[in-house]
Amino acid sequence: VPPPPAPQQPFAGPGAGQIAQAASVLAGQAVRTPVIRSAELDRRTGACVVLKAECLQRTGSFKFRGAFVAATRAREAGHRHLVAYSSGNHAAALSRAGRLLGQRVSVFMPYDAPASKVEAARSFGADVRHYDRYEQDRVAMASAYAAEHGGLLVPSADDPHVIAGQATATAELLAEHPDLDVVVVPVGGGGLMAGAVSAVLAAGSQAEVVAVEPVGSDDFVHSLASGQRESVTVGATLADGLQLATIGGLPWEVVRGRVRTAVTVEDDGLRSAVAFLVERVKLVVEPSGAAPVSALLTGTLDLRSARVGVVLSGGNVSPEKLRALLA
Ligand SMILES: Cc1ncc(COP(=O)(O)O)c(C=O)c1O
């Protein structure tokens, strides 16, 4: 009789060595994005805030980090065709990574994904397929397609290589500011948050990781309250990158018990934060990426006197949408 299988340990997230390996995969490929201060933001929040400008990352969001690391690992394993489902930024990031590494990329994007994000994925050579985010099971669709065509599914957050790549954003921030008390990140599938938690642990930092979600997609707030991974029915929000029903299973294992605070932001606050970042910080940040600044500016997150790191996670907003947001 074979011995019973050992009970599976929860995924602990990438350690210091794996984050360093991801950083070396990204060296010369990803931008080491600047960390920016704003005296006005400090004044309004009473905190000392440093902004990691991932809106200036290749393909316009931190998603390039995880996508490029995962695509590199896939290529090492012989995969020539990558498949993804994404509201936009992961699709563009994986498309770019695949092109750089000579892999074919097929992406499933919602019909209502911003046209500029669909165009970005196409411009990087991806084969774009559409789904209805409110009606269709995108995971099942993309998985069936990958199985049929011999492609490798690369999730946008629920993947150890993606999480290791995302961790490098917070690792760079902590390398410049080792004494942060708090790191604030927006949450969709939870890859950025799981990466942030992993980077904090790997750096031996005491920083607390705080999550921000839009009200229309506040599954993580519910998950923290119940202690289990919860799903919600997603509602409309300006933060299209955060519009997910639940975070991934692996991110949940990493952050569970380690992230204790999650807050929500509304569209009005997102609009004001995007405008603040354009006017006062001179950065174009999309609503999803501006969510943490929105939580700080509205006082939903009161971090007075704390040293706060914020990941401005992306800047992919079309001129037309930006104009409407600033109007
Ligand atoms: C700009 C931006 N910020 C944050 C997120 C959320 O990242 P994650 O899915 O890793 O939680 C996304 C996801 O698409 C995004 O596009």
Side-chain angles (χ1 to χ4, degrees), residues 128-265:
V128 176
R129 288 150 192 278
H130 289 291
Y131 67 88
D132 181 338
R133 74 161 95 216
Y134 302 102
E135 298 287 337
Q136 283 178 300
D137 182 346
R138 63 188 196 155
V139 183
M141 280 173 80
S143 309
Y145 178 86
E148 192 184 331
H149 293 86
L152 178 74
L153 192 63
V154 181
S156 64
D158 204 8
D159 179 279
H161 302 307
V162 169
I163 295 171
Q166 316 311 32
T168 62
T170 302
E172 289 175 14
L173 180 57
L174 288 169
E176 279 185 52
H177 294 275
D179 56 354
L180 292 178
D181 301 307
V182 183
V183 175
V184 192
V185 291
V187 176
L192 181 61
M193 171 171 58
V197 166
S198 305
V200 163
L201 288 171
S205 155
Q206 297 301 312
E208 187 191 342
V209 175
V210 168
V212 183
E213 290 184 308
V215 278
S217 182
D218 58 351
D219 54 281
F220 188 62
V221 169
H222 290 285
S223 301
L224 283 190
S226 73
Q228 328 178 43
R229 187 159 65 103
E230 303 284 353
S231 294
V232 294
T233 306
V234 292
T237 166
L238 287 173
D240 54 278
L242 312 182
Q243 211 175 10
L244 268 82
T246 184
I247 72 166
L250 295 181
W252 172 247
E253 288 176 23
V254 175
V255 306
R256 159 181 217 177
R258 294 183 175 139
V259 175
R260 281 178 290 277
T261 309
V263 298
T264 57
V265 290

Side-chain angles (χ1 to χ4, degrees), residues 62-63 87 89 157 186-192 241-242 286 288-289 313-314:
F62 77 98
K63 291 274 176 182
S87 65
N89 282 334
V187 176
L192 181 61
L242 312 182
E286 62 184 284
S288 301
S313 53

Side-chain angles (χ1 to χ4, degrees), residues 26 28-31 57-72 75 82-84 86 88-107 109 117-128 154 316:
L26 291 171
Q29 295 291 347
V31 178
Q57 186 50 264
R58 208 165 182 179
T59 73
S61 85
F62 77 98
K63 291 274 176 182
F64 182 76
R65 295 174 181 267
F68 191 82
V69 171
T72 300
R75 195 175 71 160
L82 309 177
V83 180
S86 157
N89 282 334
H90 175 61
L94 193 70
S95 304
R96 188 77 186 97
R99 175 161 275 187
L100 288 165
L101 295 165
Q103 292 152 308
R104 195 178 137 208
V105 179
S106 304
V107 291
M109 301 180 75
K117 290 184 173 173
V118 176
E119 200 32 57
R122 284 218 175 94
S123 75
F124 297 133
D127 158 34
V128 176
V154 181
N316 290 319

